[in-house]
Amino acid sequence: MILKDMVKKASSLPKGDEDDLKALETAINFEAKGFEFYTKLRDDCTDSVEKAFFNLLANIEHEHYISLKDTQELMTYQIKERTGLDGA
């Protein structure tokens, strides 16, 4: 029931456009810089607890980056093919 409702709602959402892709690119770059920042802090630490903490933050930023890249790929396909999440 929940998935059916989500599909119904998705078909009524506005389609992505070039402005959305630009916003995604900005977010992707932000997450990449966050990953680099926390990775550097992790590498500069000598304390194992601090190193683990900054590694956790770097991994979180990397997951955000991957998620946004996946979204960008999907949106680019939708714009190119003029489709929505429901395939219509």
Side-chain angles (χ1 to χ4, degrees), residues 10-66:
S11 63
S12 67
L13 295 174
K15 305 257 190 259
D17 61 20
E18 296 297 323
D19 287 339
D20 294 325
L21 286 174
K22 288 178 188 175
L24 273 173
E25 188 64 35
T26 298
I28 288 166
N29 290 333
F30 182 80
E31 296 298 338
K33 288 178 184 176
F35 173 77
E36 291 172 12
F37 176 74
Y38 291 126
T39 299
K40 180 171 178 1
L41 288 174
R42 177 200 65 203
D43 294 345
D44 290 346
C45 286
T46 56
D47 181 86
S48 63
V49 174
E50 287 180 348
K51 191 174 282 287
F53 175 71
F54 288 123
N55 190 58
L56 172 67
L57 294 178
N59 287 337
I60 291 170
E61 296 299 311
H62 181 70
E63 290 296 323
H64 293 164
Y65 174 86
I66 296 298

Side-chain angles (χ1 to χ4, degrees), residues 4-15 84-88:
K4 286 182 182 180
D5 290 341
M6 288 177 66
V7 170
K8 287 177 187 175
K9 289 178 185 177
S11 63
S12 67
L13 295 174
K15 305 257 190 259
L85 290 175
D86 62 352

Side-chain angles (χ1 to χ4, degrees), residues 64-75:
H64 293 164
Y65 174 86
I66 296 298
S67 177
L68 289 167
K69 289 296 280 186
D70 288 346
T71 302
Q72 180 186 45
E73 183 178 331
L74 176 62
M75 190 175 292

